Amino acid sequence: GTFVQYKDNNISRIAIPVQVGVGGAFKPNAKTTLALDVEVKPFSGKKIIIRDTLRLIPGAKDEEVTHDYDPEWRNVIAFRAGGEYLLTTSSSLFPTVPLRAGFGVVPLPDPNREEAIIDLNGDVHGIPTSTASGLNLSVGTGVYWTQVRLDLAYTFRSYSRTVGFVRSESRDHLFQLTFTGYF
């Protein structure tokens, strides 16, 4: 598939790769669930098609001139794992309390370029000039009644990008509250 973007009176088409993921869950007992998934995103070799000019021809097919741009994205593999334990209490106010935790390593398809650097001994080394990675950590809890579920989750996401010797980081915090009713 492709993603079409219109910006500054220009149209770009980005080839989106088919992403393949596999995951599974394991229940060692009735109260515990462990889950993990892996996702492959083959961005390498995908190009951006940029429209340079468009000539409208009345009564005929319009002429469109484009050029390809290779952003040199790299393939990435995302990995996520987590678990849940259902704590049963004797309280009628909080009969079942789920406890959850998870983490994920989600790299970004940043360009994978190398630059030749000559050290003090005169040796040539190739160092990556651009790398990017992401890390997700989450914890959650809630209360389960017979027909109503209330869940609260906190997620911390951190993204890091290095271009040459310059490193930039981004962090965000998400709080989510979910109400589910079975009526």
Side-chain angles (χ1 to χ4, degrees), residues 3-159:
F3 170 74
V4 178
Q5 178 182 357
Y6 182 76
K7 182 179 177 185
D8 294 333
N9 202 27
N10 205 352
I11 290 182
S12 301
R13 285 188 290 272
I14 302 171
I16 304 296
V18 173
Q19 299 178 18
V20 178
V22 65
F26 172 66
K27 287 185 75 76
N29 58 49
K31 294 184 176 191
T32 307
T33 304
L34 303 173
L36 119 90
D37 74 87
V38 177
E39 184 179 17
V40 177
K41 301 176 181 184
F43 278 95
S44 179
K46 301 300 179 198
K47 299 191 181 203
I48 299 175
I49 302 168
I50 301 172
R51 183 175 72 186
D52 297 319
T53 61
L54 175 65
R55 184 174 164 209
L56 302 175
I57 303 171
K61 187 175 179 180
D62 298 337
E63 292 179 4
E64 186 177 58
V65 177
T66 63
H67 75 275
D68 292 350
Y69 168 69
D70 185 1
E72 299 178 31
W73 285 322
R74 62 181 178 180
N75 296 331
V76 296
I77 298 175
F79 171 80
R80 292 175 286 269
E84 175 185 66
Y85 179 76
L86 296 176
L87 178 66
T88 305
T89 68
S90 59
S91 169
S92 61
L93 188 57
F94 302 107
T96 305
V97 177
L99 303 172
R100 299 184 192 103
F103 72 95
V105 177
V106 185
L108 304 174
D110 211 37
N112 189 17
R113 299 186 181 116
E114 286 199 357
E115 186 174 294
I117 300 293
I118 301 173
D119 64 15
L120 296 175
N121 297 329
D123 297 328
V124 178
H125 302 279
I127 63 163
T129 59
S130 182
T131 60
S133 62
L135 175 68
N136 297 343
L137 300 170
S138 64
V139 293
T141 188
V143 179
Y144 288 180
W145 293 279
T146 306
Q147 292 181 295
V148 175
R149 293 184 173 191
L150 185 62
D151 291 297
L152 177 66
Y154 165 73
T155 304
F156 170 73
R157 296 189 303 191
S158 171
Y159 292 100

Side-chain angles (χ1 to χ4, degrees), residues 159-176:
Y159 292 100
S160 172
R161 183 169 188 241
T162 304
V163 179
F165 296 106
V166 178
R167 182 181 174 114
S168 61
E169 293 183 353
S170 164
R171 294 184 177 104
D172 63 5
H173 306 272
L174 300 168
F175 293 96
Q176 298 170 319

